[in-house]
Amino acid sequence: MNSSNLLRTFNFLYFALLAMFVSFLPVYLDAQGLPTTKIGLIIGTGGIITIFSQPLWGMISDRTRTIKKIMILLLACSAVTGYFLYASGSFFVLLLFAMLLYFFLMPLDPLTESLNFQTAEANGVSYGSIRTFGALGYAVTSLAVGYAMLYFGIHSLALLFAGIGVLSVVVCLGLPDAPATGKPVTLKSLRDFLSYKETVWFLILIFVTAVPQRINDTYLGVYIRKLGGTADLVGQAWFLAAGSEILVFALSFWWLRKGKEMLIISFASLFYVLRFFLSAWITDPQLLTYLQLLQVFTFPVFYSAAIQYLYRIVPEEWKATGQTVLALLFFGVSGIVASYLGGWAYESLGARTLYLLISCMSFVGLLLSFVLHRIYGKAASVEKIGS
């Protein structure tokens, strides 16, 4: 198997692990009888762990000039930790192993995306042609896990997670490492990057848009179950959401244009507003499941454009760290706010009010993206940062 196909296979397997963790951890915790406030506590605290773990492993990757070796270590630790997490039932044991899995598994996301993007650029292929297989892995696994939980029991997740984790390590061993930048890593370049106004406003936009996305990611499965849906319906919802991303990533070479990223982000933000507003008024779990098809216009469009925009404004030698900052905001910092705030709002105000609130927050992100497009337009900033 050539290196491109190995990387596609790895994306399939890694995002399968993410599906079992991001999408089904709240469902697993709910099935253990935990209230939404405690679910939010576990996931929010995991976000705090992510704040430290993602920069740590991103910096190690940059300093050692290797992504692959770091990924192998993290995958092996994740496989073991995930097994014990999904074999546990005690709140404090669940909290412990969830924190460990956040420490090992979540830093793999920016490293994987960095490997995808750099390898795609080096080989002259589209990023989407590789990332598509991640969406496929997320979709297929979501559907399979939903049925596995229904027919084999909730603890079947333990063996499934560990098995895919081990297979991921085997595939990762054959991957090529990301090409080195050839430039020394300097603290000045990162300081200049973070002090540039366009960067600061871009990161604020990421945060404002990510919080509603992460609230939905965390509580969608719980919401479906509260409406009377079963575990297999939760799996179907995530299958439709992740499956709808496949075509978007596959055709990214056609729609993802340099200099147009902020307009594309505005387009995705508009559909975030629509998606969450409609979610607030739906009472049929089957209909809520079908609504997840709107994912095709939201996350894959927004995140792909954000990555490309980031790569235009980050110094060359800090691309892996820049990718980590993006993932940190989208999956870490925003996840903390989403989990704590979402858990409280769900428990105190109800699901409808929660979804109306995140629809309004998405609208703020839409307005901010319009403003940033007007101010910065097509300005490319690697040169500006270095000047």
Side-chain angles (χ1 to χ4, degrees):
M1 186 181 292
N2 61 42
S3 59
S4 296
N5 287 335
L6 270 176
L7 186 54
R8 292 183 177 101
T9 302
F10 176 77
N11 270 261
F12 183 97
L13 295 171
Y14 171 63
F15 281 92
L17 292 176
L18 272 188
M20 282 185 278
F21 186 53
V22 174
S23 300
F24 285 93
L25 177 61
V27 178
Y28 181 81
L29 298 176
D30 183 57
Q32 300 305 309
L34 272 64
T36 53
T37 49
K38 283 192 174 181
I39 295 174
L41 173 66
I42 289 179
I43 296 173
T45 307
I48 296 175
I49 298 295
T50 304
I51 286 180
F52 297 100
S53 65
Q54 283 189 335
L56 170 65
W57 293 109
M59 292 288 289
I60 292 173
S61 172
D62 279 337
R63 290 289 185 178
T64 58
R65 300 290 186 89
T66 178
I67 293 178
K68 172 183 170 179
K69 292 176 182 177
I70 301 300
M71 289 171 63
I72 291 172
L73 173 63
L74 294 177
L75 282 167
C77 294
S78 296
V80 175
T81 304
Y83 173 82
F84 286 108
L85 171 65
Y86 288 119
S88 304
S90 163
F91 172 74
F92 291 104
V93 176
L94 287 168
L95 178 63
L96 171 63
F97 284 110
M99 295 311 99
L100 288 173
L101 199 53
Y102 272 104
F103 183 79
F104 294 125
L105 185 68
M106 296 311 291
L108 278 160
D109 180 73
L111 293 174
T112 300
E113 296 289 17
S114 183
L115 184 62
N116 289 342
F117 204 91
Q118 292 188 55
T119 302
E121 285 190 332
N123 295 335
V125 299
S126 70
Y127 160 81
S129 69
I130 297 174
R131 182 58 175 77
T132 296
F133 285 81
L136 182 62
Y138 204 110
V140 171
T141 304
S142 296
L143 188 63
V145 168
Y147 284 107
M149 290 171 64
L150 185 65
Y151 292 108
F152 300 107
I154 196 98
H155 291 295
S156 62
L157 279 172
L159 286 175
L160 190 58
F161 191 98
I164 294 179
V166 171
L167 189 56
S168 299
V169 172
V170 174
V171 172
C172 193
L173 288 169
L175 288 176
D177 213 340
T181 63
K183 294 185 178 182
V185 176
T186 63
L187 290 176
K188 181 180 182 302
S189 64
L190 182 61
R191 184 174 64 250
D192 291 342
F193 167 57
L194 293 177
S195 64
Y196 184 52
K197 287 184 178 180
E198 182 179 2
T199 301
V200 173
W201 281 111
F202 171 67
L203 296 179
I204 291 173
L205 171 62
I206 294 297
F207 176 76
V208 170
T209 307
V211 169
Q213 168 76 51
R214 298 294 289 124
I215 287 177
N216 183 70
D217 289 348
T218 302
Y219 295 103
L220 175 63
V222 176
Y223 188 21
I224 290 175
R225 283 169 56 88
K226 296 300 182 186
L227 291 177
T230 54
D232 61 315
L233 196 59
V234 176
Q236 291 173 31
W238 282 111
F239 173 76
L240 292 176
S244 66
E245 298 176 4
I246 295 172
L247 189 61
V248 179
F249 284 122
L251 296 179
S252 63
F253 69 92
W254 175 68
W255 61 265
L256 189 55
R257 294 283 186 265
K258 288 186 177 180
K260 301 290 186 181
E261 295 93 351
M262 200 54 68
L263 280 177
I264 294 171
I265 286 173
S266 298
F267 173 84
S269 298
L270 175 62
F271 276 92
Y272 270 129
V273 175
L274 178 63
R275 179 182 179 184
F276 298 143
F277 181 79
L278 292 176
S279 296
W281 302 101
I282 291 176
T283 57
D284 182 355
Q286 191 73 55
L287 187 57
L288 183 61
T289 296
Y290 293 146
L291 185 66
Q292 304 318 306
L293 286 169
L294 285 182
Q295 178 95 335
V296 69
F297 300 119
T298 54
F299 173 73
V301 174
F302 181 91
Y303 203 65
S304 296
I307 290 174
Q308 183 163 293
Y309 190 88
L310 174 75
Y311 268 63
R312 285 206 297 115
I313 66 177
V314 67
E316 180 70 21
E317 67 271 23
W318 281 98
K319 281 188 174 181
T321 301
Q323 176 64 51
T324 299
V325 172
L326 175 63
L328 180 64
L329 279 175
F330 206 96
F331 299 106
V333 178
S334 63
I336 298 170
V337 177
S339 300
Y340 290 148
L341 176 64
W344 171 82
Y346 194 111
E347 191 88 3
S348 304
L349 306 176
R352 174 172 294 179
T353 302
L354 174 63
Y355 272 93
L356 287 175
L357 287 173
I358 64 176
S359 178
C360 291
M361 191 170 184
S362 295
F363 184 71
V364 173
L366 172 63
L367 295 179
L368 182 56
S369 66
F370 278 137
V371 171
L372 293 184
H373 176 69
R374 290 293 300 273
I375 294 175
Y376 297 107
K378 297 183 180 181
S381 49
V382 172
E383 294 79 12
K384 291 183 181 179
I385 293 174
S387 61

Coordinates of all heavy atoms in Angstrom, one line a residue, residues 85-160:
L85 N -11.7 3.2 30.2 CA -12.8 4.1 30.3 C -14.2 3.5 30.1 O -15.1 3.6 30.9 CB -12.6 5.3 29.3 CG -13.7 6.3 29.2 CD1 -14.0 7.0 30.5 CD2 -13.5 7.3 28.0
Y86 N -14.3 2.8 28.9 CA -15.6 2.2 28.6 C -15.9 0.9 29.3 O -16.9 0.3 29.0 CB -15.6 2.0 27.1 CG -15.8 3.4 26.4 CD1 -14.8 3.8 25.5 CD2 -16.9 4.2 26.6 CE1 -14.9 5.0 24.8 CE2 -17.0 5.4 26.0 CZ -16.0 5.9 25.1 OH -16.2 7.1 24.5
A87 N -15.0 0.4 30.1 CA -15.2 -0.7 31.0 C -15.6 -0.3 32.4 O -15.8 -1.2 33.3 CB -14.0 -1.7 31.0
S88 N -15.7 1.0 32.6 CA -15.9 1.5 34.0 C -17.3 2.0 34.2 O -18.0 2.4 33.2 CB -14.9 2.7 34.3 OG -13.6 2.2 34.1
G89 N -17.7 2.2 35.4 CA -19.0 2.7 35.7 C -19.1 3.7 36.9 O -20.0 4.5 37.0
S90 N -18.0 3.7 37.7 CA -17.9 4.6 38.8 C -17.6 6.0 38.3 O -16.8 6.2 37.4 CB -16.9 4.2 39.8 OG -16.5 5.2 40.7
F91 N -18.3 7.0 38.9 CA -18.1 8.4 38.5 C -16.6 8.8 38.5 O -16.1 9.4 37.6 CB -18.9 9.4 39.3 CG -18.6 10.8 39.0 CD1 -19.0 11.4 37.9 CD2 -17.9 11.6 40.0 CE1 -18.8 12.8 37.6 CE2 -17.6 12.9 39.7 CZ -18.0 13.5 38.6
F92 N -15.9 8.5 39.6 CA -14.6 9.0 39.8 C -13.6 8.2 38.9 O -12.6 8.8 38.4 CB -14.1 8.9 41.3 CG -14.8 9.9 42.2 CD1 -15.9 9.4 43.0 CD2 -14.5 11.2 42.1 CE1 -16.5 10.3 43.8 CE2 -15.2 12.1 43.0 CZ -16.2 11.7 43.8
V93 N -13.9 7.0 38.6 CA -13.0 6.2 37.7 C -13.3 6.7 36.3 O -12.3 6.9 35.5 CB -13.4 4.7 37.8 CG1 -12.6 3.9 36.8 CG2 -13.0 4.2 39.2
L94 N -14.5 7.0 35.9 CA -14.8 7.6 34.6 C -14.1 8.9 34.4 O -13.6 9.2 33.4 CB -16.4 7.7 34.5 CG -17.2 6.5 34.3 CD1 -18.7 6.8 34.5 CD2 -16.9 5.9 32.9
L95 N -14.2 9.7 35.5 CA -13.5 11.0 35.4 C -12.0 10.9 35.2 O -11.4 11.5 34.3 CB -13.7 11.8 36.7 CG -13.1 13.2 36.8 CD1 -13.6 14.1 35.8 CD2 -13.3 13.7 38.2
L96 N -11.4 9.9 35.9 CA -9.9 9.7 35.8 C -9.5 9.3 34.3 O -8.7 9.9 33.7 CB -9.5 8.7 36.8 CG -8.0 8.2 36.6 CD1 -7.0 9.3 36.8 CD2 -7.7 7.0 37.5
F97 N -10.2 8.2 33.8 CA -9.8 7.7 32.5 C -10.2 8.7 31.4 O -9.6 8.7 30.3 CB -10.4 6.3 32.3 CG -9.6 5.3 33.1 CD1 -10.2 4.6 34.2 CD2 -8.3 5.0 32.7 CE1 -9.4 3.7 34.9 CE2 -7.6 4.0 33.4 CZ -8.1 3.4 34.5
A98 N -11.3 9.4 31.6 CA -11.7 10.4 30.6 C -10.6 11.5 30.5 O -10.3 11.9 29.4 CB -13.1 11.0 30.9
M99 N -10.1 11.9 31.7 CA -9.0 12.9 31.6 C -7.8 12.4 30.9 O -7.1 13.1 30.2 CB -8.7 13.4 33.1 CG -9.8 14.0 33.8 SD -10.6 15.4 33.0 CE -12.1 14.6 32.3
L100 N -7.4 11.2 31.2 CA -6.3 10.6 30.5 C -6.5 10.5 29.0 O -5.6 10.8 28.2 CB -6.0 9.2 31.1 CG -5.4 9.2 32.5 CD1 -5.3 7.7 33.0 CD2 -4.0 9.8 32.6
L101 N -7.7 10.1 28.6 CA -8.0 10.0 27.2 C -7.9 11.4 26.5 O -7.5 11.5 25.4 CB -9.3 9.3 26.9 CG -9.5 8.7 25.5 CD1 -8.3 7.8 25.1 CD2 -10.8 7.9 25.4
Y102 N -8.4 12.4 27.2 CA -8.3 13.8 26.7 C -6.8 14.2 26.5 O -6.5 14.8 25.6 CB -9.0 14.8 27.6 CG -10.5 14.9 27.3 CD1 -11.4 14.4 28.1 CD2 -10.9 15.7 26.2 CE1 -12.8 14.5 27.9 CE2 -12.3 15.9 26.0 CZ -13.2 15.3 26.8 OH -14.5 15.4 26.5
F103 N -6.0 13.7 27.4 CA -4.6 14.1 27.4 C -3.9 13.4 26.2 O -3.0 14.0 25.6 CB -3.9 13.6 28.7 CG -2.5 14.0 28.8 CD1 -2.1 15.3 29.1 CD2 -1.5 13.1 28.5 CE1 -0.7 15.7 29.1 CE2 -0.1 13.4 28.6 CZ 0.2 14.7 28.9
F104 N -4.3 12.1 25.9 CA -3.6 11.4 24.9 C -4.2 11.5 23.5 O -3.5 11.6 22.5 CB -3.5 9.9 25.3 CG -2.6 9.6 26.5 CD1 -3.1 8.9 27.6 CD2 -1.3 10.1 26.5 CE1 -2.3 8.7 28.7 CE2 -0.5 9.8 27.6 CZ -1.0 9.1 28.7
L105 N -5.6 11.4 23.5 CA -6.3 11.3 22.2 C -6.5 12.6 21.5 O -6.2 12.8 20.3 CB -7.6 10.6 22.4 CG -8.4 10.3 21.1 CD1 -7.7 9.3 20.2 CD2 -9.8 9.9 21.4
M106 N -6.9 13.7 22.2 CA -7.2 14.9 21.6 C -6.0 15.6 20.9 O -6.2 16.3 19.9 CB -7.9 15.9 22.6 CG -9.2 15.3 23.1 SD -10.4 14.8 21.8 CE -10.8 16.3 21.0
P107 N -4.8 15.6 21.5 CA -3.7 16.2 20.8 C -3.4 15.5 19.4 O -2.7 16.1 18.6 CB -2.5 16.0 21.7 CG -3.1 15.8 23.1 CD -4.4 15.1 22.8
L108 N -3.9 14.3 19.2 CA -3.7 13.7 17.9 C -4.4 14.4 16.7 O -4.0 14.3 15.6 CB -4.2 12.2 17.9 CG -3.2 11.3 18.6 CD1 -3.9 10.0 19.0 CD2 -2.1 10.9 17.6
D109 N -5.5 15.1 17.1 CA -6.3 15.8 16.0 C -5.5 16.8 15.3 O -5.4 16.8 14.0 CB -7.6 16.4 16.6 CG -8.4 17.1 15.5 OD1 -9.0 16.4 14.7 OD2 -8.4 18.3 15.5
P110 N -4.9 17.8 16.0 CA -4.1 18.8 15.2 C -2.8 18.2 14.5 O -2.4 18.6 13.5 CB -3.7 19.8 16.3 CG -3.8 19.1 17.6 CD -4.9 18.2 17.4
L111 N -2.3 17.2 15.2 CA -1.1 16.5 14.6 C -1.5 15.8 13.3 O -0.8 15.8 12.3 CB -0.5 15.5 15.6 CG 0.2 16.2 16.8 CD1 0.7 15.1 17.7 CD2 1.4 17.0 16.4
T112 N -2.7 15.1 13.3 CA -3.2 14.4 12.1 C -3.5 15.4 11.0 O -3.1 15.2 9.9 CB -4.4 13.6 12.5 OG1 -4.1 12.6 13.5 CG2 -4.9 12.9 11.3
E113 N -4.2 16.5 11.4 CA -4.5 17.5 10.4 C -3.3 18.1 9.8 O -3.2 18.4 8.6 CB -5.4 18.6 11.0 CG -6.8 18.1 11.4 CD -7.7 17.7 10.3 OE1 -7.3 17.5 9.2 OE2 -8.9 17.5 10.6
S114 N -2.3 18.4 10.6 CA -1.0 18.9 10.1 C -0.3 18.0 9.2 O 0.2 18.4 8.1 CB -0.1 19.3 11.3 OG 1.1 19.9 10.9
L115 N -0.3 16.7 9.5 CA 0.3 15.7 8.7 C -0.5 15.6 7.4 O 0.1 15.5 6.3 CB 0.2 14.3 9.4 CG 0.9 13.1 8.6 CD1 2.4 13.4 8.4 CD2 0.7 11.8 9.4
N116 N -1.8 15.6 7.4 CA -2.7 15.6 6.2 C -2.3 16.8 5.3 O -2.1 16.6 4.1 CB -4.1 15.7 6.6 CG -4.7 14.4 7.2 OD1 -4.0 13.4 7.1 ND2 -5.8 14.5 7.9
F117 N -2.3 18.0 5.9 CA -2.1 19.2 5.1 C -0.7 19.3 4.5 O -0.6 19.6 3.3 CB -2.4 20.4 5.9 CG -2.8 21.6 5.1 CD1 -4.1 21.9 4.9 CD2 -1.9 22.5 4.6 CE1 -4.5 23.0 4.1 CE2 -2.2 23.6 3.9 CZ -3.6 23.9 3.6
Q118 N 0.3 19.0 5.3 CA 1.7 19.1 4.8 C 2.0 18.0 3.8 O 2.6 18.2 2.8 CB 2.6 19.0 6.0 CG 2.6 20.2 6.9 CD 3.7 20.2 7.9 OE1 4.9 20.1 7.6 NE2 3.3 20.2 9.2
T119 N 1.5 16.8 4.0 CA 1.7 15.7 3.0 C 0.9 16.0 1.7 O 1.5 15.7 0.6 CB 1.2 14.4 3.6 OG1 1.9 14.1 4.8 CG2 1.4 13.2 2.7
A120 N -0.3 16.5 1.8 CA -1.0 16.9 0.6 C -0.3 17.9 -0.2 O -0.2 17.8 -1.4 CB -2.4 17.4 1.0
E121 N 0.3 18.9 0.5 CA 1.0 20.0 -0.2 C 2.3 19.4 -0.9 O 2.6 19.7 -2.0 CB 1.4 21.1 0.7 CG 0.2 22.0 1.1 CD 0.7 23.3 1.8 OE1 1.7 23.2 2.5 OE2 0.0 24.3 1.7
A122 N 3.0 18.5 -0.1 CA 4.2 17.9 -0.6 C 4.0 17.0 -1.8 O 4.8 17.0 -2.7 CB 4.9 17.2 0.5
N123 N 2.9 16.3 -1.8 CA 2.6 15.3 -2.9 C 1.7 15.9 -4.0 O 1.4 15.2 -5.0 CB 1.9 14.1 -2.3 CG 2.8 13.3 -1.4 OD1 4.0 13.4 -1.5 ND2 2.3 12.6 -0.5
G124 N 1.3 17.2 -3.9 CA 0.5 17.8 -5.0 C -0.9 17.2 -5.1 O -1.5 17.2 -6.2
V125 N -1.5 16.8 -3.9 CA -2.9 16.3 -3.9 C -3.7 17.2 -3.0 O -3.1 18.0 -2.3 CB -3.0 14.8 -3.5 CG1 -2.2 13.9 -4.4 CG2 -2.5 14.7 -2.0
S126 N -5.0 17.1 -3.1 CA -5.8 18.0 -2.3 C -5.9 17.5 -0.9 O -5.9 16.2 -0.7 CB -7.2 18.1 -2.9 OG -7.9 16.9 -2.8
Y127 N -6.0 18.4 0.0 CA -6.2 18.0 1.4 C -7.5 17.2 1.6 O -7.5 16.2 2.3 CB -6.2 19.3 2.3 CG -6.9 19.2 3.6 CD1 -6.2 18.7 4.7 CD2 -8.2 19.6 3.8 CE1 -6.8 18.6 6.0 CE2 -8.8 19.5 5.1 CZ -8.1 19.0 6.1 OH -8.7 18.9 7.3
G128 N -8.5 17.6 0.9 CA -9.8 17.0 1.0 C -9.8 15.5 0.6 O -10.5 14.7 1.1
S129 N -8.9 15.2 -0.4 CA -8.9 13.8 -0.9 C -8.3 12.8 0.2 O -8.6 11.6 0.2 CB -8.0 13.7 -2.1 OG -6.6 13.9 -1.8
I130 N -7.6 13.4 1.2 CA -7.1 12.6 2.3 C -8.1 12.7 3.5 O -8.5 11.7 4.1 CB -5.8 13.1 2.8 CG1 -4.7 12.9 1.6 CG2 -5.3 12.4 4.0 CD1 -3.4 13.5 1.9
R131 N -8.6 13.9 3.8 CA -9.4 14.1 4.9 C -10.8 13.5 4.8 O -11.5 13.2 5.7 CB -9.6 15.6 5.2 CG -10.4 16.0 6.4 CD -9.9 15.5 7.7 NE -10.7 16.0 8.8 CZ -11.9 15.6 9.1 NH1 -12.4 14.6 8.4 NH2 -12.5 16.1 10.1
T132 N -11.2 13.2 3.5 CA -12.5 12.6 3.2 C -12.6 11.2 4.0 O -13.7 10.9 4.5 CB -12.6 12.3 1.7 OG1 -12.7 13.6 1.0 CG2 -13.9 11.5 1.4
F133 N -11.5 10.5 4.1 CA -11.5 9.2 4.7 C -11.7 9.3 6.2 O -12.2 8.4 6.8 CB -10.3 8.4 4.3 CG -10.3 7.9 2.9 CD1 -10.0 8.7 1.8 CD2 -10.7 6.6 2.7 CE1 -10.1 8.2 0.5 CE2 -10.8 6.1 1.4 CZ -10.5 6.9 0.3
G134 N -11.3 10.5 6.8 CA -11.6 10.7 8.2 C -13.1 10.8 8.4 O -13.6 10.2 9.3
A135 N -13.7 11.6 7.5 CA -15.2 11.7 7.6 C -15.9 10.4 7.4 O -16.9 10.1 8.1 CB -15.7 12.8 6.6
L136 N -15.4 9.6 6.5 CA -15.9 8.3 6.3 C -15.8 7.4 7.5 O -16.8 6.7 7.9 CB -15.3 7.6 5.1 CG -15.8 6.2 4.7 CD1 -17.2 6.3 4.2 CD2 -14.9 5.7 3.5
G137 N -14.6 7.4 8.1 CA -14.4 6.6 9.3 C -15.3 7.0 10.5 O -15.9 6.2 11.2
Y138 N -15.5 8.4 10.6 CA -16.4 8.9 11.7 C -17.8 8.4 11.4 O -18.5 8.0 12.3 CB -16.3 10.4 11.7 CG -16.7 11.1 13.0 CD1 -15.7 11.7 13.8 CD2 -18.0 11.1 13.4 CE1 -16.0 12.3 15.0 CE2 -18.3 11.7 14.6 CZ -17.4 12.3 15.4 OH -17.7 12.9 16.6
A139 N -18.3 8.5 10.1 CA -19.6 8.2 9.8 C -19.9 6.7 10.0 O -20.9 6.3 10.7 CB -19.9 8.6 8.4
V140 N -19.1 5.8 9.4 CA -19.3 4.4 9.5 C -19.2 3.9 10.9 O -20.1 3.1 11.4 CB -18.2 3.6 8.6 CG1 -18.3 2.1 8.9 CG2 -18.4 4.0 7.2
T141 N -18.3 4.4 11.7 CA -18.1 4.0 13.1 C -19.3 4.4 13.9 O -19.8 3.7 14.8 CB -16.8 4.5 13.7 OG1 -15.7 4.1 12.9 CG2 -16.6 4.0 15.1
S142 N -19.8 5.7 13.7 CA -20.9 6.2 14.5 C -22.1 5.2 14.3 O -22.8 4.9 15.2 CB -21.3 7.6 14.0 OG -20.3 8.5 14.3
L143 N -22.4 4.8 13.0 CA -23.5 3.9 12.8 C -23.3 2.6 13.4 O -24.2 2.0 14.1 CB -23.7 3.8 11.3 CG -24.9 3.0 10.8 CD1 -26.2 3.7 11.2 CD2 -24.9 2.8 9.3
A144 N -22.1 2.0 13.3 CA -21.8 0.7 13.8 C -21.8 0.7 15.4 O -22.3 -0.2 16.0 CB -20.4 0.3 13.4
V145 N -21.3 1.8 16.0 CA -21.3 1.8 17.5 C -22.7 1.9 18.0 O -23.0 1.3 19.0 CB -20.4 3.0 17.9 CG1 -20.7 3.3 19.4 CG2 -19.0 2.8 17.7
G146 N -23.6 2.7 17.3 CA -24.9 2.8 17.8 C -25.6 1.4 17.9 O -26.3 1.1 18.8
Y147 N -25.4 0.6 16.8 CA -26.0 -0.8 16.8 C -25.3 -1.7 17.8 O -25.9 -2.6 18.4 CB -26.0 -1.3 15.4 CG -27.0 -0.7 14.5 CD1 -26.7 0.2 13.5 CD2 -28.4 -1.0 14.7 CE1 -27.7 0.7 12.7 CE2 -29.4 -0.5 13.9 CZ -29.0 0.4 12.9 OH -30.0 1.0 12.1
A148 N -24.0 -1.5 17.9 CA -23.2 -2.4 18.9 C -23.7 -2.2 20.3 O -23.9 -3.1 21.1 CB -21.7 -2.1 18.8
M149 N -23.9 -0.9 20.6 CA -24.4 -0.6 22.0 C -25.8 -1.2 22.2 O -26.1 -1.6 23.3 CB -24.5 0.9 22.2 CG -23.1 1.6 22.3 SD -23.2 3.4 22.3 CE -24.1 3.7 23.8
L150 N -26.6 -1.2 21.1 CA -28.0 -1.7 21.3 C -28.0 -3.2 21.4 O -28.8 -3.7 22.2 CB -28.8 -1.2 20.0 CG -30.3 -1.6 20.0 CD1 -31.0 -0.8 21.1 CD2 -30.9 -1.3 18.7
Y151 N -27.2 -3.9 20.6 CA -27.3 -5.4 20.6 C -26.3 -6.1 21.5 O -26.5 -7.2 22.0 CB -27.1 -5.9 19.2 CG -28.3 -5.5 18.3 CD1 -28.1 -4.5 17.3 CD2 -29.5 -6.1 18.4 CE1 -29.2 -4.1 16.5 CE2 -30.6 -5.7 17.6 CZ -30.4 -4.7 16.6 OH -31.5 -4.4 15.8
F152 N -25.1 -5.4 21.8 CA -24.1 -6.1 22.6 C -23.9 -5.4 23.9 O -23.1 -5.9 24.7 CB -22.8 -6.1 21.8 CG -22.8 -6.9 20.5 CD1 -22.8 -6.2 19.3 CD2 -22.9 -8.3 20.5 CE1 -22.9 -6.9 18.1 CE2 -23.0 -8.9 19.3 CZ -23.0 -8.3 18.1
G153 N -24.6 -4.4 24.2 CA -24.4 -3.7 25.4 C -23.5 -2.5 25.4 O -22.6 -2.4 24.5
I154 N -23.6 -1.6 26.3 CA -22.9 -0.4 26.3 C -21.4 -0.6 26.5 O -20.5 0.1 26.0 CB -23.4 0.5 27.5 CG1 -22.9 2.0 27.3 CG2 -23.1 0.1 28.8 CD1 -23.9 2.9 26.6
H155 N -21.0 -1.7 27.3 CA -19.6 -1.9 27.5 C -18.8 -2.5 26.3 O -17.6 -2.7 26.4 CB -19.4 -2.8 28.8 CG -19.8 -2.1 30.0 ND1 -19.1 -1.0 30.5 CD2 -20.8 -2.3 30.9 CE1 -19.7 -0.6 31.7 NE2 -20.8 -1.4 31.9
S156 N -19.6 -2.8 25.3 CA -18.9 -3.3 24.0 C -18.0 -2.3 23.4 O -17.1 -2.6 22.7 CB -19.9 -3.8 23.0 OG -20.8 -2.7 22.6
L157 N -18.2 -1.0 23.9 CA -17.3 0.1 23.4 C -15.9 -0.2 23.8 O -15.0 0.3 23.1 CB -17.8 1.4 24.0 CG -19.0 2.1 23.3 CD1 -19.4 3.3 24.1 CD2 -18.5 2.5 21.9
A158 N -15.6 -0.8 24.9 CA -14.3 -1.0 25.5 C -13.4 -1.8 24.5 O -12.3 -1.4 24.1 CB -14.3 -1.7 26.8
L159 N -13.9 -3.0 24.1 CA -13.1 -3.8 23.2 C -13.0 -3.2 21.8 O -12.0 -3.2 21.1 CB -13.7 -5.2 23.1 CG -13.5 -6.1 24.3 CD1 -14.3 -7.4 24.1 CD2 -12.1 -6.4 24.5
L160 N -14.1 -2.5 21.3 CA -14.1 -1.9 20.0 C -13.1 -0.8 20.0 O -12.3 -0.6 19.0 CB -15.5 -1.4 19.7 CG -15.8 -0.9 18.3 CD1 -15.5 -2.0 17.3 CD2 -17.2 -0.4 18.2

